[in-house]
Amino acid sequence: MESQKKYEPKFSFEFFPPRTPEAAGKLQMTTESLAKYNPDFFSVTFGAGGSTRQRTFETVQDIREKTGIEAAPHISCIGYLTSDIKDVLNIYKAAGIKHTVALRGDMPSGLASYGELRYANELVEFIRKETGDHFHIEVAAYPEFHPQAPSPKKDLENFKRKIDAGANSAITQYFYNPDAYFRFIDSCERLGIDVPIVPGIMPIVNCTQLVRFSDACGAEIPRWILKRLQEFGDDRKAIRDFGIDVTTQLCENLLGHGAPGLHMYTMNQSEASEAIWKNLILSKRRSEKKVSAG
Ligand code: FAD
């Protein structure tokens, strides 16, 4: 973990573009609530194959205007022509956006062609070729490895390709086993990867949804967490309290070992992310108190 300790921690929250006016209203309340914590940036996802291209941009603009906080649009390349990607980059650039999260994306069902760029490293290379150093580029990292990766070694090499292509930093897929992250960082260090790799944190609010997401993205839910969540059944308050507790401890552990910040997958809800945040501020105050008392 040594290489990560030199970076100033960055804190961020991720949203997806709302589909309805009601959802947009709710997102506005969420972003305004979370803006109070003065995060380094917000980010907004991008539907692979272009399903939310316009809405990603509009959401980013809305957040920037209403909160005054930097918002980074995600961009994915699967199913796109390079001319389309160039258009998107030009729109972002003209709007003064300087931060983006560059991804391959997943092939939506029914889409016939992969597009011209097959992997995220090619997208990073393309962004650098077209826009030089204009963008701060984040890429995705997988401490428990990407589900399609042929092996952990290959996945790490593929991660390195994105950094070598010019990515500035990375955000991980969510995980609940901190050792997976610590080992991943150690492997990155051995490969000479030297950028901040910020842990992605998924607050636990709904067991069924968490199982579905984790199946799709390859994140492991430790057995002890799953068993307890299943036992809570429909008791949403018990799930919420347990989830906040488990995730707060995970965040404390990661930050305590030198993780360079946290990126929260909010699912457009502020409550759990806010509760974890407050706990972390409290725990920071507690440890400062101990130091000054000792
Ligand atoms: P890549 O880095 O291209 O990797 C994909 C797979 O291909 C891996 O198995 C890798 O080992 C392999 N690979 C990579 N490069 C090569 C190569 N050159 N040759 C051979 N194999 C290679 N999805 C969205 O649709 N929209 C979003 O907004 C979005 N935001 C995300 C944000 C974060 C922080 C994370 C962690 C994920 C996000 N995703 C998003 C999901 C992401 O698109 C998927 O996980 C997708 O399956 C992989 O994207 P990637 O950029 O990691 O792909």
Side-chain angles (χ1 to χ4, degrees):
M1 285 294 294
E2 282 313 304
S3 66
Q4 296 295 307
K5 290 182 184 161
K6 64 175 178 282
Y7 300 114
E8 188 174 330
K10 298 261 191 269
F11 297 93
S12 49
F13 295 103
E14 179 176 308
F15 310 108
F16 56 85
R19 282 178 186 278
T20 61
E22 294 74 43
K26 191 170 168 241
L27 179 60
Q28 191 180 325
M29 283 177 4
T30 302
T31 51
E32 281 170 7
S33 274
L34 295 174
K36 290 192 303 248
Y37 300 99
N38 205 16
D40 291 280
F41 66 96
F42 291 130
S43 85
V44 180
T45 63
F46 190 92
S51 58
T52 66
R53 171 177 155 167
Q54 184 60 18
R55 282 189 285 131
T56 298
F57 178 62
E58 286 165 4
T59 308
V60 159
Q61 290 298 74
D62 212 38
I63 292 176
R64 292 170 84 205
E65 250 169 52
K66 296 204 170 103
T67 68
I69 289 175
E70 179 184 327
H74 296 202
I75 179 166
S76 68
C77 59
I78 210 161
Y80 269 106
L81 298 173
T82 46
S83 54
D84 294 330
I85 296 171
K86 204 167 159 178
D87 287 348
V88 173
L89 293 173
N90 284 336
I91 291 169
Y92 290 173
K93 215 175 149 186
I97 293 166
K98 292 188 150 187
H99 193 163
T100 188
V101 185
L103 304 136
R104 182 197 71 175
D106 290 310
M107 192 76 174
S109 55
L111 202 70
S113 151
Y114 278 107
E116 288 175 89
L117 305 176
R118 193 74 194 260
Y119 297 107
N121 67 293
E122 295 167 25
L123 175 62
V124 174
E125 201 179 316
F126 184 76
I127 299 175
R128 284 286 174 244
K129 181 167 78 68
E130 292 297 325
T131 64
D133 286 337
H134 177 82
F135 287 101
H136 177 105
I137 305 178
E138 311 262 2
V139 288
Y142 300 86
E144 295 179 327
F145 306 107
H146 187 267
Q148 289 156 7
S151 70
K153 184 168 176 283
K154 286 267 178 243
D155 209 28
L156 276 157
E157 286 167 8
N158 290 332
F159 175 58
K160 186 170 186 298
R161 286 177 208 269
K162 298 193 270 195
I163 309 304
D164 291 347
N168 302 94
S169 47
I171 300 171
T172 76
Q173 184 57 276
Y174 68 87
F175 56 88
Y176 297 103
N177 180 355
D179 285 335
Y181 172 78
F182 299 144
R183 283 202 172 255
F184 181 78
I185 298 294
D186 289 345
S187 304
C188 289
E189 274 173 17
R190 281 196 291 276
L191 284 177
I193 296 170
D194 194 6
V195 296
I197 303 174
V198 173
I201 302 295
M202 178 70 91
I204 301 171
V205 283
N206 177 318
C207 181
T208 318
Q209 192 188 49
L210 184 67
V211 169
R212 186 159 45 85
F213 284 166
S214 305
D215 280 348
C217 74
E220 188 191 37
I221 310 173
R223 180 182 158 87
W224 66 274
I225 294 185
L226 189 59
K227 287 273 170 197
R228 284 189 186 254
L229 289 174
Q230 285 166 341
E231 191 179 34
F232 293 135
D234 293 334
D235 186 345
R236 290 168 63 168
K237 182 176 179 317
I239 293 176
R240 177 191 167 280
D241 291 350
F242 172 73
I244 289 169
D245 195 29
V246 166
T247 324
T248 301
Q249 272 186 24
L250 173 68
C251 295
E252 281 173 339
N253 189 352
L254 293 166
L255 293 174
H257 281 84
L262 300 169
H263 178 81
M264 299 249 185
Y265 296 107
T266 68
M267 304 306 294
N268 289 13
Q269 294 173 14
S270 66
E271 199 198 352
S273 298
E274 215 168 340
I276 296 165
W277 207 255
K278 283 184 187 156
N279 286 345
L280 292 171
I281 293 169
L282 279 179
S283 63
K284 187 164 175 277
R285 282 207 197 117
R286 271 203 306 272
S287 57
E288 278 165 3
K289 238 184 184 172
K290 260 193 216 157
V291 171
S292 62

